[in-house]
Amino acid sequence: MREIDAEKTCTSYKKGEYIFKEGARPFGIYCVNHGKIKLSKQGDDGKEQIIRLVKPGDPLGYRSLLSGDRYNASAIALENSGVCFIPKDLFMGILQKDSSLTLEMLKLLSDDLKKAEQQITHLAQKPVRERVAEALLFIKETYGFEEDGQTIAAAFSREDIANIVGTATETTIRLLSELNREGLIQLNGKKIVILDLKKLVRVADISD
C-alpha cells in the first residue's frame, strides 16, 4: 500500500466524462475512490450496451491490463467521480510478489466471466419485462438503497436502463410504467423507488 500510495494519481471526472475509451491501450489499473462509473460497449449499429456498473472501491481496466489487450469497453462517469490510477509496472510488480493479490485478481476475472455468461443467456432467453426488472435489481445490488431503504441510491436515465437491458428506450419506458402502475416501483424522475422487492424478484425470475 505504501508503494501504491507513493505513485498513484487521483483525478476528478465530471458526469459523462471518459476514464478510458474502448480500443485504447491500458497503461495501468484504475480504482474508483468515489462516484459511480459505467462500462459500456458500442454495438455494430452504434447502440450502447452497458455491461458493468462500478462503485467506490472497485478496480477498473484490470482484464485488459492482465491480458495485454486493448480496452474492450469504455468507462464513463455516471456522476461526478474520483478515480485513482496505478501505473502498469508498479501494479504488475506487486502482483508478481503478492500471491494473495494474484488470487484476488483471479477471483475477479472468474466472477466477470460468470456474469458475462449469465448476461448472454438472459439476453437470448428472457422476455424483456423480466430483463427490465432484473436490471433494476442489478442497479440496486450495485449501489444499494438510500436511507429510506427503498429508493435506489443512483440516478439512471431511461436510456441507461435500456442500455443495460439491451432493448429500445421506448420499450423500457413502457415496461417501467407498467411496473409503476402495478405498485412494484415508483418513478421519481431518474430516481426509482422499489415498493415491493419480493414481487420484483419474482418478475425478474431470479432465485435471489
Side-chain angles (χ1 to χ4, degrees), residues 136 145 148 150-152 154 156 158 161 175-197 200:
L136 298 181
F145 285 129
D148 63 5
Q150 290 185 308
T151 304
I152 296 175
F156 274 74
R158 305 298 184 263
I161 296 173
L175 291 169
L176 286 173
S177 296
E178 280 185 13
L179 295 172
N180 183 74
R181 287 195 302 272
E182 293 167 15
L184 276 69
I185 65 171
Q186 180 181 316
L187 304 172
N188 293 331
K190 291 185 179 180
K191 285 296 185 83
I192 295 176
V193 181
I194 297 180
L195 299 174
D196 196 325
L197 182 58
L200 193 64

Side-chain angles (χ1 to χ4, degrees), residues 120-180:
I120 290 169
T121 303
H122 292 176
L123 285 173
Q125 298 179 0
K126 275 195 170 186
V128 180
R129 176 180 161 90
E130 290 182 9
R131 295 189 343 241
V132 168
E134 187 174 2
L136 298 181
L137 295 170
F138 172 52
I139 297 169
K140 188 272 294 183
E141 284 300 312
T142 304
Y143 298 121
F145 285 129
E146 295 182 359
E147 290 183 2
D148 63 5
Q150 290 185 308
T151 304
I152 296 175
F156 274 74
S157 69
R158 305 298 184 263
E159 183 180 7
D160 274 337
I161 296 173
N163 291 339
I164 295 172
V165 176
T167 191
T169 304
E170 295 78 9
T171 303
T172 299
I173 292 171
R174 176 175 58 79
L175 291 169
L176 286 173
S177 296
E178 280 185 13
L179 295 172
N180 183 74

Side-chain angles (χ1 to χ4, degrees), residues 12-125:
S12 296
Y13 295 87
K14 293 181 179 179
K15 178 181 178 180
E17 283 192 320
Y18 284 82
I19 291 85
F20 54 78
K21 290 188 176 183
E22 184 176 353
R25 291 189 180 279
F27 293 101
I29 189 170
Y30 297 85
C31 187
V32 181
N33 187 4
H34 67 269
K36 299 175 178 68
I37 311 290
K38 64 180 178 180
L39 282 177
S40 65
K41 288 180 63 67
Q42 291 291 324
D44 293 337
D45 57 358
K47 182 173 174 56
E48 180 185 16
Q49 175 71 52
I50 295 176
I51 58 174
R52 186 178 158 214
L53 298 175
V54 186
K55 63 185 183 299
D58 286 349
L60 274 172
Y62 50 85
R63 192 202 65 78
S64 297
L65 183 69
L66 293 172
S67 67
D69 296 334
R70 294 175 182 267
Y71 291 123
N72 71 329
S74 297
I76 306 167
L78 285 164
E79 63 182 33
N80 293 345
S81 303
V83 180
C84 294
F85 174 79
I86 303 166
K88 177 180 179 179
D89 290 345
L90 171 63
F91 181 75
M92 297 302 284
I94 293 173
L95 201 63
Q96 289 173 0
K97 293 184 291 185
D98 191 334
S99 59
S100 62
L101 180 59
T102 303
L103 181 59
E104 286 302 314
M105 296 308 300
L106 287 172
K107 287 179 181 178
L108 271 176
L109 292 168
S110 178
D111 191 46
D112 284 349
L113 180 59
K114 176 184 175 182
K115 289 176 180 177
E117 290 171 345
Q118 289 176 336
Q119 187 175 31
I120 290 169
T121 303
H122 292 176
L123 285 173
Q125 298 179 0

